[in-house]
Structures are given as structure tokens and as C-alpha cells.
Amino acid sequence: HDVLSSRQITTSSSFPSTERTRTTTTSIEPLSSFSSSSKNNNNSKITDLRSDTLTSPTPSMLQTALRAPTGDDVLSEDPTVLSLEAYAASLFDKPSALFVPAGTMGNLCAILSHCHYNKSSEMIMGKHSHINLYEGGGYANLAGVSGKLVEEDEDGKMDVEDLRDAFRRDDDDHYAKTVLVALENTHNMLGGVAVEKGYVDGIGRLAKDEWGGEVKIHIDGARIFNAAISLGVSVGELCEGADSVTFCLSKGLGA
């Protein structure tokens, strides 16, 4: 997720920081010549806000990584990975967790795990979602899943009636069967808006009560912790209505 909006900056400001961003009217070099935080010749603080992925690990983070115990992850014997996965599962109140190198890979793993129908599977997602726009079409070319796009409103939500219209059962050989609905929280392309728990829970009830529990709910939660802080709830509560969720550890690292 490469866009950082003013709303996301506001949300992220809830994290502790040792320095505050200063505005300056002095001329500065192009942003590409700066790290995430540097100073110009006038000793004014420059903070690069192109993306919250530009942050770097602190010295203490690097030292912790160097000292972390390791093992064979293929044989599930890496204690650090196992500890991280167990902590993540507990934090989100889910049965298990899987550590992967990238958020895009995490979303793809979730799609593959949910969309294993014996015929064609279809996923409903937002027209402006990151999965649709910026993940290389992996749901189609790697998972073999058909995508049904629904327009979101300015609050990052797909209308329930639009979801009902998009839903397709396995009652016609011409149709792919709806097996997954993908949400995004916070919603990147709609200004980093946080989607509240009530909406997520409502979509979960729709899938279970009207669609017989055959449709799963996945949340692309790259910045789900920002949403939780903004809404004043835990990530476990916020994602209670979903079957799976991905989140990134690289966003605002060291903030």
C-alpha cells in the first residue's frame, strides 16, 4: 500500500513518537534524496510522507532481530516464527496465523485457502480495493478465481444490497459460485478511512444467515491497527466477523 493520506497520518499519530513533524518553507532537495527522516542544510527536520513504508527499524529492533533464536521453518522448528504466529493468532482471536514475507502474499494465501470449490470460484471485492488494483491480478492468474467488483462509498463500504445482487449460487453452469467477500480496513484508495466493527459484523451475518455459511469473509488489514486505534476497539473485536485477516508489520515501523 503505497499511498499515505492525511486521514492515515492522523490515525497513525496515535502511535508514540519521540519527534514531531515540523513544517518548513525553506527550499529542500527532492524527496528521493532523503531517507524517511533527515535534515536539510538549515537543520530543519524533514519527514518523508510519501508512504508509511519508508520507515526503518530502530537500532534496538535490529539488535533484537540479530539475537532472535532461529530454527528450520520448513519443519516448523523456528521458535521466533512460531512465537510470532501464536501471538498474532491470540491478538486477533483466530485459531492460527501464518507469517509470510508480504501483504500481497498474505492476501493470496487467504484467497487460495477459501476458494477451493470444485468448480469455478468467485470473490466479491471493492472496485477500488488494493487486491483488485495493486496485487498483480494474483487472485485470477495464480488462484484461478473470478472477481466480481462492487463500488464502495466514501466510507470504504460496499452496499449490502449491491453485495446481494453480486452474489451467485451454484444453480447455473454459466456462473462461477460466490465463495468469498474481501473487505479492506483501513481503505487505502478512499483516504485511509477506518471501517467500523458494525459493518464488518453485518457482512459476516449476511454470509452466515443468508448465504448459509458457505461464503467466507476476508479482511485486507494492512493497516488494521490504525483502524482499531481510530475506532477505539481491539483488532480482535474489529475482525470478529471475518474468517481471515492479513496485516503488515512494515507500516509505520519504528514510529
Side-chain angles (χ1 to χ4, degrees), residues 199-212:
Y199 176 76
V200 177
D201 289 345
I203 301 304
R205 287 193 297 271
L206 174 69
K208 292 179 175 61
D209 297 343
E210 294 190 25
W211 298 338

Side-chain angles (χ1 to χ4, degrees), residues 8-221:
Q8 287 171 308
I9 294 169
T10 301
T11 303
S12 297
S13 68
S14 299
F15 292 106
S17 175
T18 57
E19 296 179 312
R20 295 184 181 275
T21 302
R22 285 181 53 192
T23 58
T24 177
T25 58
T26 58
S27 299
I28 62 174
E29 302 173 37
L31 285 175
S32 59
S33 66
F34 290 94
S35 62
S36 59
S37 183
S38 60
K39 294 182 178 180
N40 66 6
N41 293 333
N42 296 324
N43 208 35
S44 296
K45 183 69 177 178
I46 304 298
T47 300
D48 190 341
L49 296 178
R50 288 175 298 164
S51 173
D52 56 359
T53 61
L54 291 168
T55 50
S56 301
T58 64
S60 61
M61 289 179 182
L62 293 173
Q63 286 300 315
T64 299
L66 289 172
R67 293 193 299 265
T70 60
D72 193 320
D73 189 46
V74 173
L75 299 177
S76 298
E77 294 177 353
D78 189 308
T80 300
V81 171
L82 292 175
S83 177
L84 175 63
E85 291 174 341
Y87 177 67
S90 173
L91 199 62
F92 283 82
D93 196 24
K94 301 299 182 188
S96 61
L98 177 67
F99 176 61
V100 295
T104 294
M105 183 183 290
N107 284 332
L108 185 59
C109 287
I111 293 167
L112 285 164
S113 68
H114 293 310
C115 300
H116 48 73
Y117 181 55
N118 61 2
K119 291 172 62 178
S120 296
S121 296
E122 188 162 80
M123 170 178 62
I124 301 173
M125 58 188 157
K127 179 180 177 181
H128 303 287
S129 67
H130 194 274
I131 291 177
N132 177 48
L133 295 177
Y134 299 118
E135 299 191 5
Y139 67 88
N141 61 37
L142 294 175
V145 174
S146 174
K148 195 70 171 292
L149 304 181
V150 172
E151 187 81 33
E152 307 100 318
D153 63 20
E154 62 182 9
D155 294 322
K157 303 173 186 176
M158 295 177 284
D159 186 81
V160 172
E161 289 306 315
D162 290 340
L163 291 176
R164 288 190 174 105
D165 290 341
F167 173 74
R168 299 200 289 190
R169 298 186 184 277
D170 182 23
D171 56 4
D172 190 313
D173 288 338
H174 298 90
Y175 294 164
K177 181 182 180 181
T178 303
V179 296
L180 180 64
V181 175
L183 308 177
E184 186 172 329
N185 200 9
T186 60
H187 200 298
N188 189 5
M189 295 306 295
L190 293 174
V193 64
V195 179
E196 70 271 13
K197 171 180 168 58
Y199 176 76
V200 177
D201 289 345
I203 301 304
R205 287 193 297 271
L206 174 69
K208 292 179 175 61
D209 297 343
E210 294 190 25
W211 298 338
E214 296 182 1
V215 177
K216 304 302 181 182
I217 307 300
H218 171 67
I219 297 177
D220 174 5

